[in-house]
C-alpha cells in the first residue's frame, strides 16, 4: 500500500478503516465569464403610408375674347372724350356681342368679359316688373334695359350683394348663378359665340372672378356708371349725344 501523505492520529484512523484519501486537487481556475450579449437594436418596421392620389388634372377652357361692336367702340370713345362718367369708374355692356368692357374713372381699360343677359329681346323693362314674382314674369318681359345707369352695390332678396343697375325694375349685375343646372349658365359664358348668352330674367351675369376681383374692386366704394347698348332701338336714340364725338376731339385738339 502506498504510504499516506497524512501523518498523525488522523492518518492512523484513516488507515485503520481502509480509506484512502487522495489529495484534493487545487480549485479549478474560474472559467472566464461569457461576455454579456449586446442588446439587439429594435427592428424598425416600415411605416405603411397611405398612397396619396395626385390631384385631378383640371382642363382649362379657353374663353374667346368678345368682339366689340362698332357702336360699343363709338360709345367708349365718346365717354372718354366727353368725360360723361365724371369721377366714377364705368362699364359698357354690348348686348349684341354679350360682352362687358370695364374702365377706371380716368378711362384706363381694365378688362373685358362675356356676360349673360335677359332672355327677352328688348330695351325697356315692363311697367311694374320689379314688383312681380319671378314665376309671373313671362319670357318676353325678361329683358335687359338699355341706357345709362348710376349704379351702386346693395343687397338683393336673400342677402346677396349685387350691383344695382336699375333698382326700381330689379335689374342687377352679379356673379353667375349656378343653382339651376339645366340652364348651363357657366357653359354659356364659356361658349365661343354670344348666341346662347340669353338666359336670365333681365339681370346681367358675369364670371365670379371678374365680378369680385375687378368690378367689385372698382365699384365697391362709391359705385359707378353702367352703359348698356340697345337690342332693337336705334343706338342714337338711346345715346343721342354720341353724335357729338367728332366735334369733341376737334375742340380738345385731339383726333377722334
Amino acid at each position: 500500500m502506498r504510504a499516506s501523505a497524512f501523518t498523525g492520529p488522523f492518518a492512523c484512523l484513516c488507515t485503520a478503516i481502509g480509506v484512502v484519501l487522495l489529495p484534493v486537487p487545487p480549485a479549478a481556475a474560474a472559467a472566464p465569464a461569457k461576455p454579456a450579449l449586446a442588446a439587439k437594436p429594435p427592428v424598425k418596421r416600415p411605416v405603411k403610408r397611405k398612397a396619396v392620389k395626385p390631384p385631378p388634372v383640371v382642363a382649362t377652357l379657353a374663353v374667346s375674347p368678345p368682339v366689340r361692336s362698332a357702336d360699343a367702340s363709338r360709345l367708349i370713345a365718346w365717354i372718354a372724350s366727353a368725360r360723361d362718367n365724371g369721377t366714377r369708374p364705368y362699364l359698357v355692356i354690348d348686348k349684341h356681342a354679350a360682352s362687358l368692357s370695364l374702365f377706371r374713372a380716368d378711362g384706363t381699360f381694365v378688362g373685358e368679359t362675356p356676360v349673360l343677359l335677359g332672355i327677352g329681346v328688348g330695351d325697356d323693362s315692363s311697367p311694374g316688373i320689379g314688383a312681380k314674382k319671378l314665376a309671373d314674369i313671362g319670357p318676353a318681359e325678361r329683358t335687359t334695359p338699355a341706357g345709362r345707369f348710376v349704379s351702386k352695390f346693395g343687397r338683393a332678396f336673400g342677402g346677396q350683394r349685387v350691383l344695382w343697375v336699375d333698382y326700381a325694375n330689379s335689374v342687377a349685375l352679379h356673379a353667375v348663378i349656378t343653382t339651376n343646372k339645366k340652364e348651363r349658365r357657366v357653359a354659356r359664358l364659356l361658349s365661343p359665340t354670344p348666341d346662347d348668352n340669353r338666359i336670365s330674367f333681365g339681370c346681367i351675369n358675369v364670371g365670379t372672378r371678374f365680378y369680385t376681383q375687378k368690378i367689385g374692386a372698382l365699384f365697391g366704394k362709391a359705385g359707378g356708371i353702367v352703359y348698356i347698348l340697345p337690342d332693337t332701338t336705334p343706338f342714337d336714340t338711346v345715346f343721342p349725344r354720341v353724335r357729338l364725338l367728332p366735334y369733341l376731339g376737334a375742340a380738345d385738339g385731339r383726333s377722334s
Side-chain angles (χ1 to χ4, degrees), residues 73-84:
S73 298
R74 285 180 61 206
L75 179 59
I76 291 170
W78 172 76
I79 296 169
S81 296
R83 297 178 178 83
D84 183 74

Side-chain angles (χ1 to χ4, degrees), residues 179-232:
T179 51
N180 189 342
K181 302 298 183 183
K182 293 182 179 180
E183 292 180 340
R184 300 173 52 253
R185 294 201 179 197
V186 174
R188 291 172 185 270
L189 279 177
L190 297 176
S191 66
T193 68
D195 299 338
D196 59 351
N197 286 42
R198 300 218 178 228
I199 190 62
S200 77
F201 281 78
C203 288
I204 301 105
N205 285 202
V206 184
T208 302
R209 181 176 297 179
F210 193 96
Y211 174 75
T212 56
Q213 296 183 359
K214 295 187 177 181
I215 296 177
L218 287 180
F219 282 62
K221 294 183 178 180
I225 311 296
V226 173
Y227 301 87
I228 304 178
L229 276 71
D231 274 324
T232 57

